[in-house]
Amino acid sequence: MKKTVLATACLAGLTATQALAEDPLGREEYMTACAGCHGESGKGDGPLAGLLNIQTPSLTTIAATKGDGEFPMEWVVWMIDGRNIIRAHGAEMPVWGDRYLASAEVSEAESETPESEELVVRGRILSLAYYLESIQE
């Protein structure tokens, strides 16, 4: 069973394409982890945005502001994960990479080892990144 989960997760990661943007998982992740601050539209107008000490940025202009017109997928994945980067922008954004590792969100059916738990987390982060790419203006 462990090898099946690991092989399935690897295959899913290798075959990730723009079609993932249409997968409801990315939008679901966005609504759970991001919409509170960044808003349902991704424009930085979430219900919690006014409570923050920073201006919540629009996530619909990442390609224009960070990627010179191209969506900077690797940068976005690192920013969402947040565990292995220097928090140069002041650490206002939460670290989401551990979001599922210490919770019941990664179920026994999805994961049986720490390695496969990490693959599940990375898959969810990738789904979210593809969703963000799909909402660029």
Side-chain angles (χ1 to χ4, degrees), residues 54-129:
I54 62 164
Q55 183 171 344
T56 307
S58 171
L59 299 178
T60 63
T61 58
I62 295 171
T65 59
K66 300 290 184 188
D68 294 325
E70 291 194 31
F71 190 75
M73 182 63 73
E74 185 176 359
W75 181 85
V76 169
V77 168
W78 283 106
M79 289 302 296
I80 295 168
D81 185 294
R83 293 175 290 178
N84 298 314
I85 61 172
I86 297 171
R87 306 301 291 180
H89 71 299
E92 288 93 355
M93 192 165 122
V95 173
W96 291 111
D98 291 328
R99 174 171 142 66
Y100 303 101
L101 294 179
S103 73
E105 293 290 332
V106 177
S107 71
E108 288 292 322
E110 290 178 310
S111 175
E112 296 182 10
T113 68
E115 293 82 10
S116 56
E117 285 179 0
E118 181 64 19
L119 289 172
V120 170
V121 169
R122 289 181 184 269
R124 290 178 178 180
I125 290 171
L126 187 58
S127 290
L128 176 55

Side-chain angles (χ1 to χ4, degrees), residues 2-74:
K2 291 178 187 178
K3 288 181 180 179
T4 303
V5 171
L6 187 58
T8 302
C10 287
L11 181 59
L14 291 173
T15 60
T17 64
Q18 185 62 28
L20 286 174
E22 298 167 6
D23 186 344
L25 181 59
R27 179 167 170 73
E28 181 180 322
E29 290 300 319
Y30 177 83
M31 296 307 288
T32 299
C34 310
C37 296
H38 294 281
E40 287 187 34
S41 67
K43 296 187 183 263
D45 58 353
L48 301 177
L51 302 174
L52 301 174
N53 293 330
I54 62 164
Q55 183 171 344
T56 307
S58 171
L59 299 178
T60 63
T61 58
I62 295 171
T65 59
K66 300 290 184 188
D68 294 325
E70 291 194 31
F71 190 75
M73 182 63 73
E74 185 176 359

